[in-house]
Amino acid sequence: MRRAATAAAVLAPLIAFALTPTTASAASPYKGANTAAVQDDFNGDGYRDLAVGAPYAANGSVEEAGAVVVLYGSASSVSTTHRTVITQATSGVPGTPEEWDAFGTTVASADLDRDGYADLIVGTPREQVGDKESRGSATVVWGGPSGLTGGATISPPAGYGDGSTYCGFGKSLATGDMNGDGAPEVTIGSRCEGASYTGPFTRTGKAASNYGESRLGESRGVVMGDVNGDGRAERFWLAGPADDDLRGPVYADNGPLTDDYLANWPIELTHADGHAGQIGDINGDGYGDLVTGIADDDSTMNATGAAHRGGEIQVLYGSAQGITVDQRPRVFHQGTAGVPGTAENGDRFGQSLSVGDVNADGYADVLVGSPGEAVGSRESAGAAVLLRGSASGLTTAKAVGYTQSTAGIPGTAEAGDSFGATVHLADLNKDGKAETVVGVPTENSDGCLWTARGSASGPLLSGSVNLDGKSAGITVRNAKGYFGAALPSPHVSN
């Protein structure tokens, strides 16, 4: 059965988004906060930085404790020499490195305390809390002029996950300013329920207010972004596969819980599906568009009714009215004319995705990871596909596929590398064009990232580089380190 009732059916045909309330007195917006300039800039030097999760990195003799490496942006983009490695053994960071915690399974950033510096948010969904295995945790590490220092725990709301086990708090993370005060809100997904926090945050990790989104039950994914052009973020809950909807329902947030349980009930987008997603302006009309990925097909779900063979992505376009309840998404998969590759069982096209403008033409492009893609006879070597934005929306014109067998990309495609397990588009060198970043977490024993600069013609393969986990400072023992298994753009985390 679907996890939530369809109370949305009685609502107006257009989504009217409510805003997350704050229990604190409204403060004047801090103009530097929650803008592109500081969204990912942890040290305030004007360049976006790149947080990279290595959830299975060892900490001393502790296996799979996990780590996050922050690669600082510069005019020459990112490198492994200008970096900070964060673990639960880092001074000021709460927690203790323990076996199988997988600190760094998810990463995100925003200026939570409105001081003008981005702060790092880390999800650790496998962390044991008290006697509860895989209860999960979320940690904020504070940005500042010298980079990241100190931290705090973002605690679940009161009553979170009552009676539930293995919640995996921190499975997904999203940030956005929902009430226009300049202080970003934070949303945390899990197998039990979602958690909503209204900024600003204090340095103890306490938000102005919070509540649990228990109405939907499991909320594996969450997306935040402005789809109606009012300068405030809307929020979408991606519940994950349900018994009667393997593709996963998508709900638009309609406000917090009240004494009237059915009031503000999240609104189901009738035709939309997705397990992970991101918002960006693909058609350049000033409204954010919602892109979701469904990587599991019938072969991986061992059932019928899952994604198109090999996986798919869907696009819903924003407007002055937001995203209409009955809007039908555009669907792209490797069976779509013009999309590189061939749709095959288990390709996992849509396992990861990112939205950004690689060529500064004013239209956001979409990079899609397909880590189960075979390259020749090398199974799960992995691939990534870039689809272009345009005035008419996402298009397959000039679409390009990338593997480690593509000329100009360093390395060699090998079975099990999982190139494309994560992807990210972000302008790390401040030239106005997003770099292409692809995670290859099972490359060798440590994992690596492939990075390519943007240009007027798209990603520049000449001069592109691989950055490996050991050079970035992670420790590997008996288990692979999985450097690159998490990037700020979404990926499906089981």
Side-chain angles (χ1 to χ4, degrees):
M1 294 294 293
R2 180 156 294 170
R3 298 179 180 83
T6 56
V10 300
L11 298 176
L14 296 181
I15 295 170
F17 293 100
L19 303 177
T20 304
T22 175
T23 59
S25 59
S28 298
Y30 179 80
K31 297 303 183 183
N34 200 38
T35 65
V38 297
Q39 181 69 33
D40 301 305
D41 185 3
F42 300 114
N43 59 0
D45 65 355
Y47 293 94
R48 296 180 69 175
D49 307 314
L50 179 64
V52 185
Y56 299 159
N59 193 292
S61 62
V62 181
E63 290 280 10
E64 299 185 35
V68 175
V69 180
V70 172
L71 306 175
Y72 291 102
S74 70
S76 56
S77 193
V78 293
S79 72
T80 57
T81 57
H82 189 199
R83 68 172 192 259
T84 296
V85 180
I86 304 290
T87 74
Q88 287 182 302
T90 300
S91 177
V93 174
T96 301
E98 298 168 313
E99 283 189 327
W100 310 304
D101 272 355
F103 178 84
T105 296
T106 52
V107 293
S109 67
D111 183 8
L112 301 188
D113 58 356
R114 300 200 310 177
D115 67 350
Y117 299 94
D119 307 306
L120 172 67
I121 310 166
V122 182
T124 312
R126 281 169 47 179
E127 179 149 45
Q128 180 170 324
V129 179
D131 62 353
K132 297 180 179 179
E133 292 186 24
S134 295
R135 171 75 168 180
S137 69
T139 304
V140 56
V141 185
W142 304 107
S146 58
L148 292 157
T149 57
T153 297
I154 301 177
S155 298
Y160 166 82
D162 281 350
S164 301
T165 57
Y166 301 98
C167 283
F169 184 72
K171 279 183 63 64
S172 60
L173 305 168
T175 64
D177 183 4
M178 295 182 69
N179 57 13
D181 68 350
E185 277 63 64
V186 173
T187 310
I188 299 175
S190 78
R191 297 185 194 92
C192 291
E193 63 186 73
S196 173
Y197 301 82
T198 298
F201 285 69
T202 68
R203 283 294 178 111
T204 65
K206 183 177 175 59
S209 67
N210 64 64
Y211 69 91
E213 182 46 86
S214 58
R215 293 169 290 188
L216 298 178
E218 184 172 12
S219 294
R220 286 194 176 191
V222 63
V223 190
M224 297 173 75
D226 182 8
V227 298
N228 62 3
D230 66 354
R232 301 178 181 186
E234 285 74 52
R235 175 167 54 201
F236 299 87
W237 300 98
L238 283 62
D243 291 343
D244 63 344
D245 188 352
L246 296 180
R247 292 169 174 243
V250 178
Y251 296 91
D253 190 271
N254 198 36
L257 287 161
T258 68
D259 291 339
D260 181 352
Y261 190 67
L262 291 179
N264 298 342
W265 195 281
I267 304 169
E268 183 172 2
L269 304 186
T270 310
H271 303 292
D273 311 287
H275 299 165
Q278 195 171 52
I279 290 171
D281 187 2
I282 293 170
N283 57 5
D285 63 357
Y287 305 107
D289 308 311
L290 173 63
V291 185
T292 62
I294 312 102
D296 282 308
D297 59 17
D298 290 356
S299 71
T300 57
M301 295 293 285
N302 195 29
T304 58
H308 187 278
R309 185 182 185 188
E312 66 186 61
I313 65 167
Q314 300 185 0
V315 184
L316 290 162
Y317 293 99
S319 69
Q321 294 79 36
I323 291 175
T324 57
V325 171
D326 57 356
Q327 183 182 157
R328 291 186 177 274
R330 286 287 312 278
V331 179
F332 296 83
H333 47 77
Q334 287 182 299
T336 302
V339 175
T342 301
E344 300 166 314
N345 289 344
D347 280 348
R348 300 197 61 80
F349 182 86
Q351 161 80 23
S352 59
L353 61 90
S354 188
V355 184
D357 188 355
V358 300
N359 57 358
D361 64 353
Y363 303 106
D365 309 302
V366 179
L367 184 65
V368 185
S370 182
E373 181 86 17
V375 178
S377 61
R378 291 154 287 186
E379 294 185 1
S380 295
V385 171
L386 182 67
L387 303 175
R388 301 302 184 92
S390 73
S392 59
L394 196 63
T395 175
T396 61
K398 300 182 180 179
V400 184
Y402 305 99
T403 74
Q404 286 186 301
S405 288
T406 301
I409 294 181
T412 302
E414 300 167 308
D417 276 352
S418 295
F419 181 92
T422 55
V423 296
H424 189 51
L425 296 174
D427 181 11
L428 304 172
N429 60 1
K430 212 163 61 172
D431 68 351
K433 307 174 189 69
E435 272 89 343
T436 295
V437 183
V438 177
V440 199
T442 45
E443 170 94 356
N444 302 324
S445 66
D446 50 350
C448 78
L449 295 178
W450 172 60
T451 67
R453 292 191 181 198
S455 75
S457 60
L460 289 175
L461 304 193
S462 176
S464 66
V465 298
N466 279 348
L467 308 176
D468 67 87
K470 289 181 180 178
S471 295
I474 73 164
T475 301
V476 176
R477 287 177 57 81
N478 297 318
K480 290 191 174 189
Y482 274 64
F483 177 76
L487 293 169
S489 292
H491 67 283
V492 175
S493 176
N494 294 322

